[in-house]
Amino acid sequence: MTDERRDVDPAALEAELAEIKGAIGLAEDHPYWWRFWLVEGVGAGLCFTLIQFWFRGGPRLWILAAVAGLLGLETLVKRRIKAAYEPPTRGLHDTRLWLLAALAGIGAVIVGLLPVFDALGDRNAIRLALVSAGAIVGSGYIYMGQLLGAYDIRAIDRYAFYAGGAWILVLAAVIPHVPAAEGWEYAVLARR
């Protein structure tokens, strides 16, 4: 028996490995998270639409019941997702800390803009809230796309976050200038 060894080119091997890693997509590498994000995206769109009805007609019991039902359904679906998949072993974050940071950011925007909202009146206050929320959410989507790059998620999957974030930023900037959208700003944003 002869001991014949083939010479391996380290640079070529590294290039092949990089190509294989580049082929990993969000759904393949993180089936848990993409489903979770999909449920949250649909829930946010429906919630924005319900908020629009609240703004147009004032507080109503059916709107409150619909929001509570939507949040309950979203929670149940997320629990089913968690039960159906093995929990991820990497990329986990403490949701309590994330929730605290999100609430602190929302609180800072609300407290900082309260005097502005009071001075603007109802219609313009709604527009300012839309532009503020759209800018924050759109920037968050773009940032999420960048974060996914750290987990070697292929570029095409990250482009969905970049495009979604850019589209939300465009809508937030344009909707207040479209007369046909007046009174339905949040519903239009929800259909992004």
Side-chain angles (χ1 to χ4, degrees):
M1 234 180 172
T2 61
D3 188 358
E4 187 176 308
R5 292 177 26 171
R6 293 181 1 191
D7 288 334
V8 176
D9 180 12
L13 187 60
E14 189 69 34
E16 284 182 37
L17 183 60
E19 185 178 339
I20 292 168
K21 284 183 179 179
I24 295 175
L26 186 58
E28 296 85 4
D29 199 34
H30 303 280
Y32 176 85
W33 287 120
W34 81 267
R35 285 173 174 81
F36 212 77
W37 293 328
L38 185 62
V39 169
E40 285 196 3
V42 169
L46 292 173
C47 193
F48 269 72
T49 302
L50 291 171
I51 288 170
Q52 186 66 62
F53 283 109
W54 185 290
F55 285 148
R56 287 188 60 84
R60 299 234 167 85
L61 184 58
W62 75 267
I63 297 172
L64 182 60
V67 169
L70 175 65
L71 293 175
L73 179 64
E74 186 176 331
T75 301
L76 288 175
V77 171
K78 286 180 187 177
R79 284 185 182 172
R80 286 193 59 128
I81 290 171
K82 283 182 179 181
Y85 292 95
E86 186 176 324
T89 57
R90 64 185 177 107
L92 293 175
H93 57 278
D94 185 358
T95 56
R96 292 173 298 177
L97 184 58
W98 179 88
L99 181 60
L100 179 63
L103 291 175
I106 291 168
V109 168
I110 290 171
V111 169
L113 292 178
L114 275 177
V116 178
F117 286 137
D118 290 340
L120 289 177
D122 290 342
R123 177 61 43 212
N124 288 325
I126 289 172
R127 288 180 177 154
L128 178 60
L130 173 100
V131 171
S132 301
I136 292 167
V137 171
S139 299
Y141 271 62
I142 292 170
Y143 183 62
M144 184 58 151
Q146 292 175 333
L147 288 177
L148 289 174
Y151 289 98
D152 295 324
I153 300 300
R154 65 181 168 209
I156 192 73
D157 289 336
R158 294 192 318 265
Y159 293 155
F161 284 91
Y162 296 145
W167 182 242
I168 291 170
L169 290 173
V170 167
L171 285 175
V174 171
I175 288 172
H177 301 284
V178 177
E182 187 170 331
W184 293 101
E185 293 90 349
Y186 282 85
V188 170
L189 184 64
R191 300 295 171 232
R192 66 187 190 286

